[in-house]
Amino acid sequence: MAKLVVIDGNNILNRAFYGIMGSKMLMTSDGKYTNAVYGFLAILFKILEEINPEYLAVTFDLKAPTARHIMYEGYKANRKGMPNELAEQMPIIKEILRAMNIDIIEKEGFEADDIMGTLSRYGEKQGLEVIIVSGDRDTFQLATDKTTIKIPRTKAGKTETEDFNRKKVIETYGVEPKQLIEVKGLQGDTSDNIPGVPGIGEKTALSLIKKYKTIDNLYKMIEDGKDDLKGKQREKIIDNKELAYLSRTLGTINLEVPIEDNLQNLKVEKWDKPKVLSLFKDLNFNRYIERFNLEEENNTSKNIEDLFIINKVNNQLDDESLKNILEEIKRKTLQEKKIIYYFTTEDDNTIGNIIKEKILYINIYNENENTVYVVDSLIPNFDTFLKDIFENEKVEKYGFKISRDYIILKQMGIEFNNIKFDLEVASYILNSTNNKYNIEMLAKEYLNIELTDFTETNNTKSQEQLTLFEGELNNNIENENQIRQNALNVYCMKKIIDIVTQKLKETNTFELFETIDMPTVEVLSNMQWNGMYLNVEELEQYGVEIKEKIDTLTQEIYDMCGIEFNINSPKQLGEVLFEKLELPVIKKTKSGYSTAEEVLERLKTKHPVIKKILDYRQVMKLNSTYVEGLKPYVNPKTKRIHSFFNQTITATGRISSTEPNLQNIPVRMEIGKKVRKVFKPSQGYVYIDADYSQIELRVLAHISGDSNMIEAFNNGEDIHKQAASKVFGIPMDKVTKEQRSDAKAVNFGIVYGISEYGLGMQLGIPQKKAKMYIEQYLEKYDGIKNFMEKICEEAKQKGYVETLYHRRRYVPELQSNNFMVRSFGKRVAMNTPIQGTAADIMKIAMIKVMNELKQRNMKSKIVLQVHDEMMIEAPIDEVEDVKELLKRNMENVIKLKVPLVADVVEATNWYDAH
């Protein structure tokens, strides 16, 4: 039997929206939400695959009032408006459905349910099997032997469906599908604000209809005195007769909507695939593009050989031939004065490597010849070949993750000069909230290419067609697919670089890329190469101290709790805190009581043991992360830790540190700060540390133009004392240490868009008092208040915020109807221009310092950068010069309305330098 599928558009889109929200909803790089559309299509494709219908329609509600609204003013009056994030996806799904030639039916004055009901009866009359796809159980009244309601639901991340025909409805509810209308008349429907009879729930309504069949019969039996209702229930039913009949009418699906569409209109047709492909590309629905072979339909080539030529250079040729080939490639590279390259690497287990990777071969794209040269590292003079190219200061280098390449070459004794373009860094500037950049992802985004389509073995042509140079492949070039993949990477890089360069110019970020972020690549690479010496013996001694502290805290916790238990067990700790000590329960989990850090922070004032437990956790973390955790990172050859410094991780532009994270050493406890003592300069050297003084507040003063804050900085006043004086209404010389501390928290909290709840938690004061602090602060510093309001409004209109150097961050969250999401967006909008500008200033300072050290041929080198702090390892005879150039360069990066101040300290270990 032929099938007609009718999909409840609003309901399924709504289910998809809330089903694919998670911690962060799906969206495109330009901030367009797509989760509802993606989920709707997933359900649609599953239905089409399972049922394979001959006829298909999707129904939608319109905004215009229906007959039900006219009949009853309160109908659906309790419904909240559709979230903006969902509303903006409604026209998108309709456009896609039209491109798929799927009939959309919507009728002013009628709801989607009415259209579905009418279509189901029309389909039955045409001899069709009808399947209604909806999560709304009101549609069960439409179930017959020929009409099935298919309810989609998500289970374990997969979409499943449950079918309800007449038989299933009777089995589930004990009444005929049509009788569910009678049930609704008595029960009502809170979701649609249908009143029903007060006090009658589903269970009672079902039992009444099972017995009396209809509302009409129920009231007739009451009138005839033949009912067996008693007491208040009988009284309520009698008193609310009008509501019962009204509710039944409101809940009855109209089966006679005047629909112009006929069976021919509903017929499943072929998609307009070019149009669907274009829409899917815009939405980054690459999985659907691949699933339905839309690229192939668009006649996109799937053969590398149709894109470019691969020339493989291996060591099977005689030395003279190889020498000539390498000279020819080098000549072309030097002639073009640029190289677009991609290293193919493998893990290197050699002890002493800073980066445990070595080059297998280099892929070089020659644009003039549209050729990728694949040069094997096992050929004679390979190192010399690389050295001649990468040390040449006239040849511009274009690559991907250049910082990694810089270190690999450095380990080979090769200097990396004239870094021109790092595609990873450029992509990060265009979309700083996506920190997982790879060429495959960028090829999808900018070229609409699925790289794996070009590298399957069955696409491989004969070796003669691929290889310019005769000879068998050696061990380094034995995997044909790997060759094709990496050759394709470097080919795509050139195409993507052209597009990304244009986008950087369009978004006014090319200067930022060229003058700040690209030079920073070399700075960070050198920092990693330089590393920091770590005294392993002192680290071991520190570990002993840590373990003694753990033992002391453990015993103190046992004594305060009056019992010994496993402090590391959340279950046992929860039982002790909330059952034995009877502390107030803040939050519960599936396994018991929550003992998360935020819970313990809220309990700190309830019992002194809480602080001990928090300290215990900190010390345990110190032991695992910074005693045992640091040892594996000590390079056996240099005795130094060579941390990775990343510039494409944080959305604000701040530099981060990984493997290990040197920026995250705890400083709350003295014993935590002491881990810095094991980091020392080489013999005959010292650390010179320069720390920007309150740079983010100074940037805030400049951008906001707040007169009070500008005055304080220009007069050299204590900004936190000034804030305390103004907020608390007391003279500056009367400000106590505690009041200054509270004002400091407000000062820095404002920069981070802190909430009254967050400030209250931080200061251990009631939320109401924290709110008063913030309000008083913004009243006195009205320039900051105006800035906060203005930047949020501008961000909402533009969709993004910028630093003073035009680093951009998109803030789609500001358009959200969800308060929490919108609040996050406001914090981002307020914080990014401040923190991001401070980060840009620090990068420029590092570039200036590194360049001057190189120009003056000094031995001093930058070894660490932590937020607003830069540290140099300098020989004794360069100390005074380094102090001067460090302070001068840092304080003269930019001319603000307030001075930039860098505090410079000299020390023999990191602890004393800070």
Side-chain angles (χ1 to χ4, degrees), residues 60-326:
F60 286 101
D61 294 325
L62 292 175
K63 287 186 178 180
T66 66
R68 293 181 181 85
H69 292 92
I70 296 168
M71 183 186 302
Y72 177 53
E73 191 176 344
Y75 181 65
K76 292 189 177 181
N78 57 338
R79 291 276 183 98
K80 289 184 179 180
M82 186 182 291
N84 290 340
E85 301 94 328
L86 174 57
E88 70 180 46
Q89 296 182 66
M90 185 68 76
I92 298 173
I93 190 61
K94 289 183 179 179
E95 188 177 8
I96 291 173
L97 292 173
R98 291 187 184 102
M100 291 177 172
N101 289 316
I102 294 173
D103 204 24
I104 295 174
I105 305 178
E106 43 197 8
K107 190 83 174 174
E108 194 167 313
F110 298 94
E111 294 183 53
D113 285 1
D114 300 324
I115 297 170
M116 288 190 292
T118 302
L119 286 174
S120 69
R121 295 304 174 256
Y122 171 74
E124 287 184 5
K125 289 176 183 176
Q126 301 298 318
L128 304 175
E129 179 186 345
V130 180
I131 299 97
I132 294 173
V133 183
S134 174
D136 186 354
R137 293 177 180 259
D138 290 346
T139 56
F140 285 1
Q141 63 183 269
L142 300 174
T144 67
D145 293 332
K146 293 182 178 179
T147 295
T148 300
I149 316 302
K150 192 175 280 287
I151 303 282
R153 54 194 175 92
T154 302
K155 186 176 181 181
K158 294 182 178 180
T159 299
E160 297 180 352
T161 56
E162 187 175 5
D163 293 349
F164 284 83
N165 56 11
R166 175 178 172 272
K167 183 181 177 182
K168 181 68 177 289
V169 170
I170 294 171
E171 287 175 358
T172 304
Y173 296 100
V175 297
E176 290 281 347
K178 287 182 179 180
Q179 290 179 296
L180 291 174
I181 303 171
E182 312 291 334
V183 172
K184 179 162 283 197
L186 297 174
Q187 175 192 350
D189 186 342
T190 54
S191 65
D192 289 340
N193 204 36
I194 296 175
V197 176
I200 301 295
E202 183 183 37
K203 188 175 179 181
T204 302
L206 279 169
S207 65
L208 290 171
I209 297 305
K210 285 177 186 176
K211 185 169 186 176
Y212 295 101
K213 309 304 178 187
T214 66
I215 289 177
D216 293 330
N217 192 49
L218 169 62
Y219 281 106
K220 186 176 186 307
M221 296 290 277
I222 291 173
E223 289 173 9
D224 294 344
K226 295 180 180 180
D227 66 289
D228 58 358
L229 301 175
K230 296 178 182 178
K232 288 189 177 180
Q233 185 186 77
R234 189 174 195 274
E235 186 179 319
K236 285 180 179 179
I237 292 173
I238 292 172
D239 290 347
N240 292 284
K241 182 177 181 179
E242 287 186 12
L243 282 181
Y245 276 104
L246 171 66
S247 299
R248 184 177 70 175
T249 303
L250 291 172
T252 302
I253 293 176
N254 188 339
L255 305 180
E256 297 179 354
V257 177
I259 297 173
E260 295 79 12
D261 296 63
N262 56 37
L263 208 55
Q264 190 58 38
N265 297 129
L266 306 178
K267 194 170 181 61
V268 174
E269 299 177 26
K270 289 183 178 181
W271 298 357
D272 181 347
K273 288 197 173 182
K275 177 65 174 173
V276 174
L277 174 62
S278 174
L279 291 169
F280 283 1
K281 282 180 177 178
D282 184 52
L283 299 169
N284 295 332
F285 286 175
N286 297 303
R287 185 173 296 178
Y288 291 152
I289 292 173
E290 181 180 346
R291 179 175 172 180
F292 297 105
N293 298 316
L294 297 179
E295 290 280 18
E296 289 185 1
E297 293 289 334
N298 202 41
N299 296 320
T300 300
S301 169
K302 296 296 181 184
N303 288 317
I304 283 180
E305 297 78 14
D306 296 329
L307 298 176
F308 60 91
I309 303 166
I310 298 179
N311 286 339
K312 293 181 292 198
V313 185
N314 58 72
N315 66 356
Q316 300 302 314
L317 297 176
D318 59 80
D319 289 352
E320 189 63 29
S321 298
L322 282 172
K323 182 181 177 182
N324 292 337
I325 294 165
L326 292 185

Side-chain angles (χ1 to χ4, degrees), residues 587-802:
K587 184 179 177 183
K588 276 197 165 187
T589 65
K590 290 180 180 179
S591 57
Y593 305 101
S594 171
T595 58
E597 186 173 350
E598 64 268 19
V599 170
L600 297 184
E601 287 287 347
R602 291 176 64 180
L603 292 170
K604 271 203 309 192
T605 58
K606 305 295 182 182
H607 198 290
V609 77
I610 300 298
K611 185 179 183 305
K612 296 292 182 183
I613 292 167
L614 287 168
D615 288 347
Y616 172 88
R617 288 184 175 179
Q618 279 272 12
V619 178
M620 287 291 288
K621 181 180 179 181
L622 280 172
N623 185 57
S624 62
T625 307
Y626 298 106
V627 177
E628 301 304 324
L630 285 177
K631 291 177 187 175
Y633 289 110
V634 178
N635 184 282
K637 185 176 179 181
T638 66
K639 309 300 181 188
R640 290 174 173 253
I641 284 183
H642 300 269
S643 177
F644 287 82
F645 293 95
N646 312 290
Q647 66 181 116
T648 60
I649 300 295
T650 67
T652 58
R654 265 190 169 189
I655 293 162
S656 66
S657 166
T658 53
E659 297 185 47
N661 184 352
L662 296 180
Q663 297 181 339
N664 205 32
I665 294 175
V667 293
R668 192 182 76 173
M669 299 172 64
E670 178 62 24
I671 196 168
K673 289 193 287 186
K674 283 171 70 174
V675 73
R676 295 182 172 191
K677 284 189 175 182
V678 304
F679 289 91
K680 299 175 180 291
S682 298
Q683 192 170 0
Y685 283 69
V686 295
Y687 282 152
I688 301 174
D689 185 90
D691 195 347
Y692 273 122
S693 172
Q694 301 164 337
I695 185 172
E696 290 182 356
L697 291 178
R698 292 172 190 270
V699 170
L700 175 61
H702 173 84
I703 293 179
S704 68
D706 183 86
S707 57
N708 284 323
M709 191 169 268
I710 290 172
E711 180 186 11
F713 280 125
N714 284 335
N715 293 337
E717 295 176 6
D718 183 326
I719 188 66
H720 304 311
K721 266 193 174 183
Q722 189 211 56
S725 171
K726 292 189 178 296
V727 170
F728 303 130
I730 52 178
M732 280 187 63
D733 58 357
K734 300 294 184 184
V735 172
T736 66
K737 185 178 179 181
E738 290 74 21
Q739 287 170 327
R740 182 187 182 279
S741 179
D742 286 354
K744 181 178 180 180
V746 179
N747 257 332
F748 286 112
I750 291 295
V751 175
Y752 289 91
I754 199 168
S755 65
E756 53 220 41
Y757 170 78
L759 183 63
M761 286 291 294
Q762 187 174 332
L763 297 180
I765 59 175
Q767 194 169 321
K768 188 175 181 182
K769 192 173 184 179
K771 182 181 181 183
M772 182 188 72
Y773 279 3
I774 293 173
E775 288 175 347
Q776 289 176 339
Y777 180 94
L778 294 176
E779 182 183 330
K780 299 298 181 182
Y781 295 88
D782 58 345
I784 295 174
K785 181 182 179 182
N786 293 336
F787 157 73
M788 291 165 65
E789 292 173 351
K790 183 181 176 183
I791 198 71
C792 288
E793 187 57 37
E794 284 183 1
K796 192 173 182 180
Q797 292 174 4
K798 293 181 180 178
Y800 62 86
V801 288
E802 287 185 322

Side-chain angles (χ1 to χ4, degrees), residues 371-389:
T371 297
V372 174
Y373 292 97
V374 181
V375 184
D376 194 324
S377 67
L378 294 182
I379 65 174
N381 302 313
F382 179 75
D383 289 11
T384 304
F385 170 74
L386 292 183
K387 190 178 183 72
D388 290 345
I389 291 175

